[in-house]
Amino acid sequence: MTVANSISMSQSIAGRYAQAVFDIVNDEGGLDALARQLDDLEAALHDSADLRNLITSPLYSRDQQGNAISAVVEKMKLSPTLSNTLKLMAQNRRLFVLPQLVQRLQALLAEHRGEIVADVTSAVALTEDQQGRLRDTLAKKTGKTVKLNTRVDEALIGGMIVKMGSQMIDSSISSKLASLQNAMKEVG
């Protein structure tokens, strides 16, 4: 199995779980609470190497993963729907798709609210003012409310890369240098 097939399969599995959770929570009227819980879960995945190891390592048994995820959902006070889904994922040995599940659920919530998520990678951390101006510019362009997911990658040297859905705007210095290098190769 290729890496692309593995990623596609993970997204497919996560998508099915995410759609089920979204539909149930939407019927119950708990989308705002789900959004907060997803932000907390995303932060926990980002901050805890132990949690990332738990969901990806084949060394943990089904029972160990189930017990650990039960403790996590209890500690985080997640909704019954989300808790039961994570426990089912542990039982089915599908916890490895948890990051994709969180991303897909956040995308479903954003779509439901008429929002669009822009993934912004910049060479240096953006100030609140810069984020606000970028958010306003993207909102004017798309006609939707824009939520920014920001991260820093110093390898960009300067500038930023903005991804919204299938669109990507790359104004990084590293990509401009790569373009210049390719142009110089064609000349010489």
Side-chain angles (χ1 to χ4, degrees):
M1 180 181 295
T2 66
V3 172
N5 288 343
S6 176
I7 291 170
S8 176
M9 186 176 81
S10 294
Q11 290 174 339
S12 175
I13 293 167
R16 288 192 302 268
Y17 280 110
Q19 190 64 57
V21 169
F22 179 82
D23 291 343
I24 292 168
V25 173
N26 189 26
D27 290 344
E28 296 171 347
L31 292 180
D32 290 335
L34 178 63
R36 287 188 299 274
Q37 292 172 11
L38 290 173
D39 289 342
D40 293 344
L41 197 52
E42 183 178 45
L45 284 167
H46 181 266
D47 296 341
S48 174
D50 290 338
L51 181 57
R52 289 190 306 273
N53 187 37
L54 170 76
I55 66 173
T56 58
S57 176
L59 299 177
Y60 294 105
S61 72
R62 186 183 313 257
D63 290 338
Q64 288 172 318
Q65 280 187 326
N67 292 336
I69 210 68
S70 292
V72 168
V73 299
E74 186 176 318
K75 178 82 171 165
M76 293 182 74
K77 295 179 176 38
L78 299 181
S79 71
T81 303
L82 191 54
S83 297
N84 290 337
T85 301
L86 296 182
K87 291 174 186 175
L88 178 64
M89 289 171 65
Q91 182 182 356
N92 293 336
R93 303 286 286 176
R94 299 283 191 244
L95 280 178
F96 65 93
V97 300
L98 184 56
Q100 292 92 338
L101 172 79
V102 170
Q103 289 175 342
R104 184 66 188 129
L105 274 169
Q106 288 173 329
L108 287 168
L109 285 166
E111 183 180 319
H112 179 75
R113 294 175 174 161
E115 298 173 344
I116 190 164
V117 176
D119 294 316
V120 180
T121 306
S122 57
V124 295
L126 299 176
T127 65
E128 288 297 322
D129 182 52
Q130 289 170 326
Q131 287 184 34
R133 289 193 323 238
L134 179 60
R135 194 178 297 113
D136 292 343
T137 301
L138 295 174
K140 286 178 188 170
K141 181 178 176 156
T142 62
K144 296 184 177 187
T145 304
V146 177
K147 178 183 178 202
L148 299 180
N149 286 339
T150 60
R151 73 180 189 90
V152 174
D153 181 359
E154 294 174 358
L156 296 180
I157 304 170
M160 68 179 70
I161 300 172
V162 179
K163 295 178 188 174
M164 289 187 315
S166 62
Q167 292 183 324
M168 182 173 92
I169 303 164
D170 187 346
S171 66
S172 66
I173 302 240
S174 62
S175 72
K176 290 180 186 200
L177 288 173
S179 295
L180 183 60
Q181 183 179 25
N182 286 337
M184 291 175 68
K185 283 181 183 177
E186 291 174 10
V187 172

